[in-house]
Amino acid sequence: SESVLVQNDFALFQNNPNPFDKETVIAFHLPESMPAKLTIYDITGKVIKLMEVSGNKGMNEVTIAKGQIPTSGVVYYQLDAKDFTATKRMIIIE
């Protein structure tokens, strides 16, 4: 279960649904509006997709379609915003 967020927190949430076969949503929380970077990479560390996001204060959601990620199995996604970085794992099924 996710802990309750304080307004000034950065947070990266688990994608939903996970595993996914069509599309999934990655949500994250920012303490203020700022640019953010969402990187998806495979288990070898190779970058599969890089997205520059204009993040809003509060909750943000990015939808990713399976067609945007040319692989299946376990991949990782990382959020970078200011000095915050967090990584989570997601699973793409055929």
Side-chain angles (χ1 to χ4, degrees), residues 5-59:
L5 284 173
V6 200
Q7 270 316 107
N8 62 358
D9 270 3
F10 287 97
L12 176 63
F13 298 97
Q14 185 65 51
N15 63 300
N16 184 41
N18 185 51
F20 72 99
D21 62 352
K22 288 184 179 62
E23 63 177 31
T24 191
V25 175
I26 295 172
F28 58 93
H29 185 277
L30 299 175
E32 60 191 65
S33 295
M34 67 182 73
K37 192 172 71 172
L38 201 55
T39 310
I40 298 172
Y41 55 94
D42 67 17
I43 54 175
T44 70
K46 184 177 134 225
V47 173
I48 300 169
K49 186 167 180 57
L50 177 61
M51 285 168 287
E52 304 280 350
V53 182
S54 301
N56 301 311
K57 178 176 176 153
M59 289 299 287

Side-chain angles (χ1 to χ4, degrees), residues 63-80:
T63 301
I64 296 171
K66 183 182 175 184
Q68 296 177 274
I69 305 173
T71 188
S72 61
V74 174
V75 298
Y76 295 89
Y77 59 98
Q78 178 174 312
L79 175 70
D80 291 285

